[in-house]
Amino acid sequence: SWATAPVEFFINGKREATSPPGTYVILDRKWKNSDEISFTLPMGFRLTKYAGMEKGFQGKEAYALEYGPVLMAVVGKSIPKGEVDIPYTEKELLGKLKPVAGKPLHFSITGSTDGLEYIPYFDVKGDMLDSFTCYPALKQ
C-alpha cells in the first residue's frame, strides 16, 4: 500500500504482470530452476500526522516521515529531549529533502542551519539516542 506507482514483475527479463499498490499478483506457470523473478518497488515520502498526547506534543503539528515502508528519524545535536521544530510546512519539507551522497536512505534538509538529517529509525544508535525524534513539529 505504500508503493507510489504500479509494480511491474518480470520473469527472465520479460514483463509478466503489473499490480497496483496495495494489491497482490499471481505468477502462475510451470517453473524452471533457472527462472528469475525481478521487480522494483517504487518508493516515495509520506507524512503522517502524530496525534499523541505526550507532554511536548500538545498543540503542535507533529508528523512522522516514512520513505516507502521505512520510518525515518530526525537526528542532530540541536534536538534536546527528542523535541525539534522544523520551520517548514508539510509541502515545503518534502521539497527540501535531498539524498546524502554515499549514505543510502539518509536525507539532509536543504536550508537547515541546525544540520538536521533524516535517517532510517533502525539506524538510530549510540550517542544518537539522546538527539533524535520520529515526530518533529512542522510549521503550521
Side-chain angles (χ1 to χ4, degrees):
S1 63
W2 48 258
T4 58
V7 178
E8 294 181 323
F9 294 85
F10 296 84
I11 299 177
N12 303 324
K14 180 182 169 207
R15 186 173 63 191
E16 192 72 27
T18 301
S19 180
T23 64
Y24 295 90
V25 67
I26 296 172
L27 301 173
D28 186 19
R29 62 182 275 141
K30 184 169 173 110
W31 295 97
K32 300 176 195 159
N33 284 338
S34 61
D35 285 339
E36 183 178 294
I37 300 170
S38 61
F39 57 92
T40 299
L41 297 171
M43 297 180 5
F45 291 110
R46 69 181 186 280
L47 288 162
T48 304
K49 187 170 182 181
Y50 178 65
M53 297 302 294
E54 293 95 72
K55 185 180 174 186
F57 289 102
Q58 296 170 348
K60 292 190 175 187
E61 295 289 316
Y63 287 84
L65 177 71
E66 296 165 280
Y67 185 67
V70 181
L71 176 63
M72 305 299 287
V74 179
V75 297
K77 294 182 179 172
S78 62
I79 303 178
K81 299 180 184 173
E83 296 177 25
V84 67
D85 293 333
I86 295 178
Y88 300 119
T89 63
E90 297 170 65
K91 264 189 181 172
E92 291 170 334
L93 175 63
L94 295 178
K96 300 277 185 183
L97 297 172
K98 302 295 178 216
V100 176
K103 293 175 141 183
L105 296 177
H106 286 231
F107 300 89
S108 63
I109 304 171
T110 303
S112 170
T113 57
D114 298 332
L116 299 176
E117 188 176 298
Y118 272 100
I119 69 170
Y121 174 66
F122 59 76
D123 274 351
V124 175
K125 41 184 96 86
D127 58 352
M128 289 185 225
L129 293 172
D130 292 328
S131 57
F132 87 96
T133 183
C134 290
Y135 307 101
L138 300 181
K139 184 171 91 176
Q140 298 182 27

